[in-house]
Amino acid sequence: MQPAHAQPIQIHTRLENDSPVCLRTIREDDRELMRIGIEQMSQRSRYLRFFSGARTAPAWVIERLVATDGHDHIAWGAIDMAKDDKPAIGAVHAFRDAEDDDCAEFSVAVIDEYHGLGLGKLLTATILLDALEEKITEFSVNMLADNAGARRFTQSLGGRFVGSDLNVLEYVLDVETAIARLKADCDPPGMAEVFKAFG
């Protein structure tokens, strides 16, 4: 594993409602932000993201989510800069496959209050661009069969269905194709800052 960056990398941009948001790399000292963020999600959202509606995530789950190195585990979080307490409002992760160095397991979650403001797209674009720099070319996306929103979003980025196991669907997403589609849409407007940050 490569060492994580000494300081979080930050991208300042805006949501569709013009609210300022900071996207930054997640670090091990973000445990409390991660725990509170998961608790702020609705039971339905927690179920769709973690396949469990439990309000409190087990300690080992939190540890796995914050144990980043910027190479085998890439993770970014979103902070609402308009609120005094600067709460965490979303996170995105890519875990490199131990048997396929070019592929990573992808997941994204946004607190319900911020649904529909483009945050999921901003986080996804950020981790796609970061993953490409780390030579990851494909994302594996696993979702529950009743997660229609995730299915539509993945398909809109060019994701192709590869199989299912009971009620869990698996899609494969080509990183470059997904980046091209997000760049072409440039929606939400704050997307431009994400692409600018990665040159």
Side-chain angles (χ1 to χ4, degrees):
M1 290 174 61
Q2 296 180 353
H5 299 288
Q7 296 294 329
I9 301 171
Q10 300 186 4
I11 301 171
H12 290 274
T13 186
R14 291 184 172 272
L15 302 177
E16 287 186 358
N17 64 356
D18 209 37
S19 180
V21 63
C22 174
L23 309 179
R24 68 166 179 81
T25 49
I26 291 173
R27 297 181 53 79
E28 288 193 12
D29 56 5
D30 286 326
R31 291 179 185 85
E32 188 65 6
L33 278 175
M34 186 69 69
R35 183 188 65 78
I36 293 172
I38 292 172
E39 289 182 356
Q40 293 298 313
M41 296 168 70
S42 69
Q43 183 179 22
R44 171 71 174 169
S45 290
R46 284 194 299 271
Y47 170 68
L48 293 177
R49 166 60 181 88
F50 297 104
F51 301 0
S52 166
R55 185 167 187 265
T56 302
W60 70 267
V61 171
I62 300 295
E63 288 300 320
R64 183 170 189 259
L65 293 175
V66 300
T68 65
D69 66 357
H71 180 72
D72 290 328
H73 177 196
I74 304 169
W76 288 75
I79 304 294
D80 185 345
M81 302 302 288
K83 293 188 176 179
D84 292 338
D85 58 345
K86 304 293 188 291
I89 58 175
V92 65
H93 298 264
F95 291 93
R96 194 184 295 265
D97 190 320
E99 298 179 359
D100 183 356
D101 203 48
D102 297 330
C103 184
E105 181 183 348
F106 162 82
S107 62
V108 61
V110 172
I111 290 177
D112 297 63
E113 180 184 346
Y114 295 85
H115 286 182
L117 298 177
L119 181 56
K121 286 184 178 180
L122 292 172
L123 285 166
T124 298
T126 302
I127 206 162
L128 283 165
L129 290 161
D130 199 355
L132 190 62
E133 289 192 350
E134 294 298 324
K135 306 296 190 292
I136 294 172
T137 59
E138 282 188 342
F139 277 173
S140 171
V141 190
N142 294 291
M143 67 190 73
L144 293 171
D146 58 347
N147 194 345
R151 192 165 62 249
R152 285 193 301 270
F153 181 51
T154 302
Q155 291 171 343
S156 75
L157 298 180
R160 67 182 189 280
F161 175 72
V162 294
S164 62
D165 182 8
L166 298 176
N167 67 330
V168 177
L169 311 179
E170 181 181 1
Y171 283 77
V172 170
L173 190 63
D174 179 79
V175 169
E176 288 190 343
T177 297
I179 289 172
R181 293 195 177 193
L182 286 169
K183 190 171 187 178
D185 289 344
C186 204
D187 175 41
M191 187 73 74
E193 296 301 321
V194 173
F195 279 95
K196 187 186 300 181
F198 284 90

